[in-house]
Amino acid sequence: MRDEAKRLSTTLFRSVFVYSIAILLCFSGIFMALFYLVYEHDEEQRVATIAESAAAFLEDKDMQDSVRILEGQLGQDIRYTLVDPQGNVVFDSGGNVDENHADRPEILEAREKGISTVTRYSSTLGKDTIYTAVLLDSGNVLRLSEERASFVSVFKSTEPALIVALAAAFVLSVALSRLLTHRTVAPLNQIDVASPLENETYEEMRPLLSRVEAQQRQLMEQNRELARAENIRREFSANVSHEMKTPLQVISGYAELLAGGKIPQKDAERFARIILTESANMTDLINDVLVLSRIDDPVMENAGKEEVELLSLSHEIVTRFLPLAEKQSVSIRCLGSSVVVDGNKSLLDQLVSNLLSNALKYSDPDGEVVVLVGKSIAPPDSEGTPMAYIRVRDNGCGIPLEEQHKIFERFYRVDKSRSKESGGTGLGLAIAKHAAVFHNGTISVESSVGRGSVFTVRIPTEHEG
C-alpha cells in the first residue's frame, strides 16, 4: 500500500510540475510577443506621424530648399531620404546613396497609396528597420527610417533576467506542486479501510469505498460461515467418534471373550449375535455419515436432476418397509395423487425412507403409519410456486413441544433409551432436512406427546398434474 501511494504522489507531483512549467513558459512567450508587437506598432505610428509632419512642411519648397531643410536633420536618430520620381536618391541623411530606390516596397506603395510603412529585418545587423514613405505633390517621395532592436535581440538582451525569473518560477512550481500533491494525497492516506464509508474524503472515492465495504461485509459473512462450518465439522467429528466408540468397545470386548475360548457355547452364540448387531449399527452409522457428506459436498449443488414421480416412489419405499412393519405389528399404507418434481431420486428415496423408518421406530404395536403424497395449488391471483408435499403420519409416542426445534440436529435423540433399543444413529432427520433443502424445499413437524407426529416435506414443482 505504501508503494502504491508513493507512486501516486510522484505521478501527481510530476504532472502538476510539468503542467505548471509548460503553462508558465507558454504565457511568458505570449506576453513577450504581445508586448513586442504593441511596442513595434507604437514605433511605427510615431515614425509615420513624423514623416507626415515633415512632408507637410516640404510641400511648398523646391528641391534645393527641401535638401537644405533635410540637411538640418543630420545627427538625429531618424534617417531622412528624398527620392525623385525616377527613383534616384536626391538626399540621404545617412550619406551619399547611388542605388536606385524606385523598386523599394515602401516607395512603390507610397506612389500608389500616398503613404506606406514597412518593417524589414536585417539578418546581418540583427535589427529591424521601420520605413515610412510619403508621396509629395512634386512627385518626390520623402522616406523616413529608424532602426530598432529585433525581437530576437530584445530576447537576448533580457536573457539574464529571464533566466533568473524562470529559476524563481521553477522553485515556486516545485514548492506549489509539492504542496498541492500533499494536500491531494493526504485524504487518501488517512482512509481507514476498516470503516470505509466513515472517512471524510473525495466524493469520487465513494463508489470505490462502497465496494470495499461491501467486500468487507461479504468477507466477514464468509468468515462467519467458515467458523460456523468449522464448529459443525468439529462437533460432527466428535459425535461420530463418540457414536462409533460405543459399538467398537462392545465388539472389542465380546470379541476378546470369544478369542479366549473359555466361555460356554450358549454364551458364545449370544456374544456373536451382539457383535453382529453392533456391527450392523456401525454400518448404518457409516452409511448415514457418507450420505450427509455427499449432501454437504458443493459438487452436489450441480448434480443432475431428473423428473421423479413421488407417489410411485413412496409406494416402492412402503413396499420395502412392509416386512419391518409386520415384525413390529404396525400397519403401513401409502395414499395420495400423482405429482412430479425435478430432483435427485436417490436423495428423495433417502428422505422418505428416513421419515418412514423414524415413524415405525417410534410407533406402538398395533399402530398405524400413513404416507400421503399430493400437491398444493397456489391461488390464481398469487405468484407463488405450486408445492408438492409428502406427509408421514404416525400415532406413536409423539415429541414434546420444547424438543421439536432440536430434532433435525445431527445425533439428537428425543428418547435416547428407545433409540438405543431400536439402533438409531440420530442422523435420519438431519439427512431428511438436508435432502429437503437440496431440493429448495422445507421440512416441518407437528406433534404432541401421546398422539403421534406428522412430518411434512414441501418441494416446489412446475409440473402439471
Side-chain angles (χ1 to χ4, degrees), residues 145-404:
S145 61
E146 182 182 39
E147 291 182 351
R148 57 187 296 274
S150 65
F151 179 78
V152 176
S153 299
V154 172
F155 179 79
K156 288 183 177 180
S157 64
T158 58
E159 187 173 356
L162 287 174
I163 292 176
V164 173
L166 288 176
F170 179 86
V171 174
L172 181 62
S173 296
V174 170
L176 291 177
S177 299
R178 288 188 179 277
L179 177 61
L180 182 58
T181 300
H182 174 74
R183 296 189 62 181
T184 302
V185 176
L188 302 180
N189 292 333
Q190 295 172 359
I191 290 177
D192 181 10
V193 294
S195 304
L197 296 183
E198 296 180 7
N199 295 280
E200 294 183 2
T201 185
Y202 303 109
E203 187 64 28
E204 291 79 3
M205 293 293 297
R206 290 293 173 183
L208 174 61
L209 295 178
S210 298
R211 290 195 294 271
V212 171
E213 186 181 42
Q215 290 178 349
Q216 285 186 344
R217 288 198 301 268
Q218 183 179 4
L219 289 174
M220 291 173 63
E221 183 63 28
Q222 289 176 348
N223 288 336
R224 284 193 291 268
E225 289 295 326
L226 289 174
R228 188 178 66 86
E230 179 63 17
N231 289 335
I232 292 175
R233 184 193 65 80
R234 290 179 179 178
E235 183 180 352
F236 183 70
S237 299
N239 288 331
V240 169
S241 300
H242 175 74
E243 293 293 332
M244 295 185 70
K245 183 177 181 180
T246 300
L248 280 175
Q249 287 177 339
V250 173
I251 294 172
S252 177
Y254 283 107
E256 185 176 353
L257 292 175
L258 289 174
K262 297 180 179 180
I263 58 174
Q265 180 65 29
K266 183 178 180 180
D267 289 338
E269 293 177 357
R270 182 168 61 87
F271 293 169
R273 285 195 299 271
I274 293 174
I275 291 174
L276 182 62
T277 300
E278 294 298 332
S279 299
N281 291 339
M282 284 193 62
T283 301
D284 291 340
L285 176 61
I286 292 172
N287 289 334
D288 286 345
V289 169
L290 290 175
V291 171
L292 273 177
S293 300
R294 188 161 62 96
I295 295 176
D296 288 338
D297 191 345
V299 176
M300 279 294 294
E301 295 181 4
N302 301 318
K305 293 183 179 182
E306 58 181 314
E307 293 184 2
V308 181
E309 206 285 298
L310 295 181
L311 184 60
S312 61
L313 177 65
S314 300
H315 273 297
E316 292 176 7
I317 297 171
V318 167
T319 302
R320 197 164 64 232
F321 275 84
L322 280 175
L324 178 61
E326 292 176 357
K327 182 179 179 180
Q328 296 183 199
S329 300
V330 176
S331 65
I332 180 173
R333 55 187 176 139
C334 181
L335 306 173
S337 58
S338 176
V339 58
V340 178
V341 299
D342 290 327
N344 185 290
K345 187 173 182 179
S346 174
L347 286 181
L348 291 172
D349 187 306
Q350 186 80 41
L351 187 157
V352 178
S353 297
N354 286 1
L355 293 179
L356 193 55
S357 173
N358 203 63
L360 291 174
K361 188 184 305 178
Y362 290 96
S363 291
D364 296 325
D366 300 324
E368 180 184 47
V369 175
V370 178
V371 179
L372 183 63
V373 179
K375 180 178 180 182
S376 300
I377 306 299
D381 57 347
S382 172
E383 296 182 359
T385 302
M387 304 292 286
Y389 64 83
I390 303 173
R391 288 191 178 96
V392 178
R393 185 180 71 234
D394 67 72
N395 54 4
C397 61
I399 305 169
L401 181 62
E402 64 274 11
E403 303 285 343
Q404 292 179 14

Side-chain angles (χ1 to χ4, degrees), residues 52 56 76 78 101 136 201 222 241 261 264 300 343 431 452:
E52 290 177 344
Q76 296 186 7
I78 297 178
H101 283 39
L136 304 177
T201 185
Q222 289 176 348
S241 300
M300 279 294 294
I431 293 174

